[in-house]
Amino acid sequence: MPYPSDLSYDISTIAKVEAVPLILNMVKHVTGMRFAAIARVTETRWVACAVDDSIDFGLMPGGELVLETTICHEIRQHHKPVIFKHASEHPVYSAHHTPRTYGLESYVSIPIIRTNGDFFGTLCAIDEVPARFDEDAVCKTLTLFAQLIAVQLDVLADLEAKTIELANAAETGIVREQFIAVLGHDLRSPLSAIRMSADLLEAKLPAGREQQLAIAIRQSSQRMNHLIEDVLDFSRAKLGGGIPVKRTLVDNLGDVFTAVINEIMMSHPNVTIRQEVVISPGVFCDAGRMGQLLSNLLGNAVAHGARDCPIDVSASMQENHIVLSVMNHGPEIPDVLLPLLFQPFKRAAGGRGEGLGLGLYIASQIVAGHNGTLSVTSTPEDGTRFIARFPGTLEWTEEG
């Protein structure tokens, strides 16, 4: 008989309880009866969920009896066990319609009650011949089995709920990240128009308050563009397994670093940056990402460094590796916060300035994309130093 559509979930759930076959076998052993089953009993249905049949009673999982012909119909109402060993000699069940209908002499049925008090069904055993057992011992043993089944049902229900919750959370996270990516992409077009307009106004307006306003608009649009790029990189990292890096042979990496340093100094004329950049041609890297890496590290140093102390930048070749170092003097970063610096959106937790808290995370992702490492140390004497180290040769990457 096929599963009833509205109870198929209960049948499949019982099938997931690995202990059920052993429980039914133990029920037969304890009672001496040759048929044991777990039944789902509702207001209108009696359906077998699991069966151990040695008398060819004719029921399989999914099989159904007319509810009113069963004693389980009564148990559902009073939630009490029913036990008799010899129906034809029993003062009550000798005249009951269920033993007569199905030709039963011995019968045990224990209610299965969920933790929340809901009635699930029964754990039952039947036979066509009289049985011999201690009723009190059988009642206690099968009640324990019924409680075990109820607990397993609750565990499976809770597990399924948690699985659904996790799936929904994962789907929500993906949708949110896709939304951020689309939003960031769509914001770039109007922002570019604002920046171009600001550039034109700055060039045409005479020196004075109006030109300063145009300069402020341009600088604000540049900051907004950096924020949008950070959001897009973060979305790419989350959705695509990392920030995309396209490595090629680059002959002017030193010039890229120098250009970034000059740009930062122009944007922050009150900041002193001491630089030592010595990079040989033929570095295997993504030049654009390398510029972004230094820009993020320098931006962090400018934001948190002491204004009366210079920022030191060095970039050099050490054997076949590129080593980029950015150091600033300022408040020491507590050891407990150091592991958080390269995590996204952790700026607020560390109380480290403005922005989204993505700059150092993106820097770490860029270095990781180059098979390198990004580390940080912070002491009152030596200041805060970020060191990026990555292999700079194609041959090393192929072999490593």
Side-chain angles (χ1 to χ4, degrees), residues 109-136:
S109 187
I110 308 294
I112 299 173
I113 309 296
R114 302 285 290 271
T115 304
N116 61 2
D118 288 348
F119 180 86
F120 176 83
T122 59
L123 172 62
C124 53
I126 60 173
D127 208 319
E128 301 164 338
V129 299
R132 296 180 180 180
F133 54 77
D134 184 318
E135 291 191 16
D136 184 61

Side-chain angles (χ1 to χ4, degrees), residues 1 13 30 45-46 109 128 134 141 173 225 266 284 333 400:
M1 179 181 296
T13 301
V30 170
R45 309 284 288 278
W46 188 106
S109 187
E128 301 164 338
D134 184 318
T141 301
N225 185 67
M266 290 181 61
F284 187 59
I333 304 174

Side-chain angles (χ1 to χ4, degrees), residues 191 195 215-230 267-268 354:
L191 186 60
R195 185 172 179 177
I215 293 173
I217 293 173
R218 175 177 55 79
Q219 292 175 341
S220 295
S221 66
Q222 288 174 335
R223 286 194 295 271
M224 289 178 63
N225 185 67
H226 288 313
L227 289 173
I228 290 173
E229 291 299 330
D230 283 350
S267 301
H268 302 85
E354 302 176 352

Side-chain angles (χ1 to χ4, degrees), residues 278-297:
V278 182
I279 302 291
S280 302
V283 176
F284 187 59
C285 69
D286 185 326
R289 291 297 186 186
M290 285 292 103
Q292 186 181 8
L293 166 65
L294 179 56
S295 179
N296 286 3
L297 294 179

Side-chain angles (χ1 to χ4, degrees), residues 41-80:
V41 184
T42 70
E43 293 181 354
T44 58
R45 309 284 288 278
W46 188 106
V47 177
C49 294
V51 175
D52 189 334
D53 183 6
S54 300
I55 59 174
D56 295 329
F57 187 72
L59 273 179
M60 299 290 289
E64 189 168 352
L65 299 178
V66 177
L67 179 63
E68 290 74 18
T69 66
T70 70
I71 300 177
C72 297
H73 177 53
E74 302 167 15
I75 295 175
R76 186 180 184 281
Q77 298 172 16
H78 56 62
H79 289 196
K80 296 179 181 179

Side-chain angles (χ1 to χ4, degrees), residues 309-388:
C309 295
I311 296 172
D312 290 320
V313 177
S314 66
S316 62
M317 298 284 296
Q318 295 183 10
E319 296 180 349
N320 58 352
H321 283 70
I322 301 295
V323 179
L324 173 65
S325 170
V326 177
M327 188 276 290
N328 68 272
H329 291 278
E332 177 188 6
I333 304 174
D335 290 342
V336 69
L337 294 181
L338 290 177
L340 302 178
L341 294 180
F342 302 121
Q343 297 181 22
F345 305 118
K346 291 299 183 180
R347 171 203 55 78
R352 290 182 56 79
E354 302 176 352
L356 294 175
L358 292 175
L360 293 179
Y361 167 75
I362 291 171
S364 68
Q365 291 292 302
I366 292 172
V367 175
H370 285 77
N371 300 323
T373 60
L374 178 60
S375 60
V376 57
T377 58
S378 184
T379 65
E381 299 79 16
D382 299 327
T384 298
R385 183 183 300 272
F386 290 86
I387 298 179

